[in-house]
Amino acid sequence: MKAEEQIRQLQETVEQLKAENDQLLSRNMQLSEQLCMWYEMRQRVSWLKEEMEIDRRNLMIADLTDDAELLAVIETRLEQDTSLLKGEFSGSQLATLIGVSQARLTKLFRNTTYKSADDYLDFVRLVRAMQLLREHPEYGIVGVSEDAGFKSVRTFQRHMQEAVGMSPVEFRMMLEKNK
């Protein structure tokens, strides 16, 4: 009799374990479904955030249909971060920085006195160089050229000659005479 009782207890234990296993499987399925729903929700939220950012940028750009407004945004951005003028910073990088298309930037500079975005950037570099020549007489011409963002001293000298009709050295001497 003892053996039959042990077998019955074992069978009851097996049934209990099966029931607990079924409950755990059911709970695991519920949690898996919740995890999938949560993951899908996170994907939707991420996608919506990206769409909202794109819409925000598009709205900001849409407000810049006026050439003067767009040029003011560009000038402000370049004044805030003069390091942007250094090195190989170009018109296409300017378009990306401001968040407008290359075509919009080209249209802007066609509508102004500048031939291209690169010409505008060279003009801004030249104005910066002239400011440095005036405010820092201790700087050498090479230093002024580099600080203003010109690729080479020769390019700086050529732009200076074309713009004001004198070399950087002559410009500096004129400033000193007029003090």
Side-chain angles (χ1 to χ4, degrees), residues 59 61 77 82 116 130 159 176:
L59 284 173
I61 293 166
R77 185 68 173 106
T82 57
S116 69
M130 292 169 71
H159 282 288
E176 288 177 13

Side-chain angles (χ1 to χ4, degrees), residues 22-156:
D22 289 344
Q23 287 177 347
L24 288 173
L25 286 173
S26 175
R27 181 69 179 143
N28 191 16
M29 289 298 291
Q30 289 174 348
L31 290 173
S32 294
E33 288 173 4
Q34 287 177 347
L35 183 61
C36 286
M37 288 174 24
W38 179 83
Y39 180 74
E40 288 173 8
M41 180 69 75
R42 293 297 301 157
Q43 284 182 315
R44 281 190 235 139
V45 166
S46 178
W47 176 79
L48 284 172
K49 281 181 178 178
E50 289 173 12
E51 289 297 312
M52 287 173 58
E53 179 62 22
I54 290 169
D55 288 346
R56 185 191 66 77
R57 278 190 252 137
N58 287 340
L59 284 173
M60 184 180 82
I61 293 166
D63 292 339
L64 298 177
T65 55
D66 181 54
D67 286 347
E69 288 177 8
L70 181 55
L71 197 54
V73 167
I74 292 169
E75 287 178 2
T76 301
R77 185 68 173 106
L78 292 175
E79 285 173 9
Q80 288 173 346
D81 190 357
T82 57
S83 68
L84 293 173
L85 294 173
K86 295 184 180 182
E88 300 295 319
F89 189 74
S90 66
S92 61
Q93 291 168 314
L94 179 62
T96 302
L97 177 74
I98 302 302
V100 297
S101 67
Q102 185 70 38
R104 175 64 179 106
L105 204 59
T106 300
K107 180 182 174 192
L108 168 72
F109 290 114
R110 271 196 204 130
N111 292 341
T112 62
T113 58
Y114 308 105
K115 297 174 187 159
S116 69
D118 291 327
D119 288 339
Y120 171 76
L121 290 171
D122 284 340
F123 172 77
V124 172
R125 287 179 182 113
L126 184 61
V127 169
R128 173 98 174 111
M130 292 169 71
Q131 179 184 9
L132 289 170
L133 286 169
R134 185 179 70 248
E135 294 175 0
H136 297 282
E138 71 277 7
Y139 286 10
I141 300 302
V142 173
V144 169
S145 173
E146 288 173 0
D147 284 355
F150 284 99
K151 294 176 188 173
S152 70
V153 175
R154 181 67 192 124
T155 303
F156 169 46

